[in-house]
Amino acid sequence: MYKRLVFRLLGVLLLGGCRQLLGIEEATLICSHDDPGCSSCIRDTDCGPATECYAWSCVDSTCVHVNAAARTPCSLGVCSEGERSECVACVLDADCGDGGHCSDNECYRCDDGIQSGPEFGVDCGGACGMCLGLPCSEANDCTSGFCVDGVCCNGPCEGVCTTCNNAEGDCSSLPKYAQDYAPTCGGANVCDGFGSCLLRPGEICFSDVECASYRCENSRCVKLSGESCNSPLDCVDNGCMNGICMQ
């Protein structure tokens, strides 16, 4: 009987990195620092070392980590939110200084000349505003401050026969013979491919410079050799073959 009592009080058995205190009614596991899979304890120090952003507490023989308050200062920046707090660069934009932004606990800026964080390009995307050529609904959507033809543009692009509706977001001239309704270049007029609005082929003219084709023939604007046509009247010398003006 005496030996059995001593065994109950003092016996220690090493099992899988943990010490097991054996009793008649129950057994209590005590974790070693080398066995993160073991979560039982007698004292706080059985649970392992603390970090900058959380400490261990032994509660009812079970290891429980206790987080520091979110945004508590630490060596890399601040302590994070979440189930187990870690030392990260940021939690909020305010942690990144004036002009900085926080995404996935990392800081980025919109004026540092590099692509970082959630940016789609250099200093654009995410909180920085949309990059050139990406869809927009208003000027404030764009890093450039210009939303033209539904995309972010490199300038106001307000001239006739110009557009920014391209992948680069560059203000450029509409193609030759295209129409532009903002500002108006329609009806008898079309674009000349260089940012001017002139008479379409087939319209009455008195000089070459009135025509988008820059050719006035027999008092009508006509297309040049190699351009598409619908009838001989569209072309110089009335030569339309297989839908192409022939010389």
Side-chain angles (χ1 to χ4, degrees):
M1 180 69 181
Y2 175 76
K3 291 182 179 180
R4 182 177 181 184
L5 179 61
V6 171
F7 178 76
R8 178 182 176 186
L9 295 176
L10 302 176
V12 175
L13 178 64
L14 295 179
L15 290 176
C18 294
R19 301 191 309 275
Q20 188 172 32
L21 299 185
L22 299 178
I24 294 176
E25 293 84 5
E26 61 182 359
T28 301
L29 292 176
I30 304 173
C31 292
S32 74
H33 294 178
D34 298 327
D35 185 10
C38 182
S39 61
S40 297
C41 58
I42 290 178
R43 59 187 69 82
D44 293 347
T45 54
D46 293 331
C47 300
T51 71
E52 293 179 272
C53 292
Y54 70 84
W56 288 104
S57 178
C58 183
V59 180
D60 295 331
S61 300
T62 300
C63 291
V64 177
H65 63 264
V66 181
N67 288 337
R71 302 185 68 211
T72 297
C74 58
S75 59
L76 296 179
V78 293
C79 293
S80 68
E81 300 172 316
E83 182 178 354
R84 181 173 298 187
S85 182
E86 304 289 344
C87 189
V88 297
C90 61
V91 172
L92 302 177
D93 288 351
D95 301 326
C96 298
D98 292 341
H101 301 280
C102 183
S103 175
D104 294 329
N105 299 132
E106 295 291 337
C107 290
Y108 69 100
R109 299 185 61 86
C110 302
D111 57 2
D112 56 7
I114 60 174
Q115 181 177 347
S116 56
E119 293 176 353
F120 301 145
V122 175
D123 293 341
C124 62
C128 301
M130 302 304 289
C131 305
L132 295 178
L134 292 180
C136 60
S137 57
E138 59 183 37
N140 288 338
D141 294 338
C142 306
T143 301
S144 65
F146 300 103
C147 180
V148 181
D149 298 325
V151 299
C152 292
C153 188
N154 62 351
C157 204
E158 295 172 341
V160 67
C161 289
T162 58
T163 182
C164 244
N165 195 2
N166 53 63
E168 295 75 27
D170 293 328
C171 186
S172 56
S173 298
L174 281 167
K176 193 175 186 178
Y177 306 132
Q179 291 187 307
D180 184 11
Y181 297 103
T184 301
C185 182
N189 297 311
V190 290
C191 300
D192 69 343
F194 300 100
S196 295
C197 182
L198 302 173
L199 290 172
R200 69 168 58 248
E203 296 296 329
I204 295 174
C205 59
F206 299 98
S207 66
D208 290 344
V209 295
E210 295 178 88
C211 304
S213 63
Y214 289 94
R215 185 67 178 268
C216 182
E217 187 83 11
N218 298 323
S219 299
R220 287 189 180 276
C221 293
V222 293
K223 290 185 175 183
L224 307 179
S225 175
E227 295 184 322
S228 63
C229 57
N230 295 313
S231 74
L233 295 178
D234 292 340
C235 305
V236 175
D237 299 329
N238 296 328
C240 180
M241 183 177 294
N242 297 324
I244 301 296
C245 289
M246 308 299 291
Q247 192 169 12

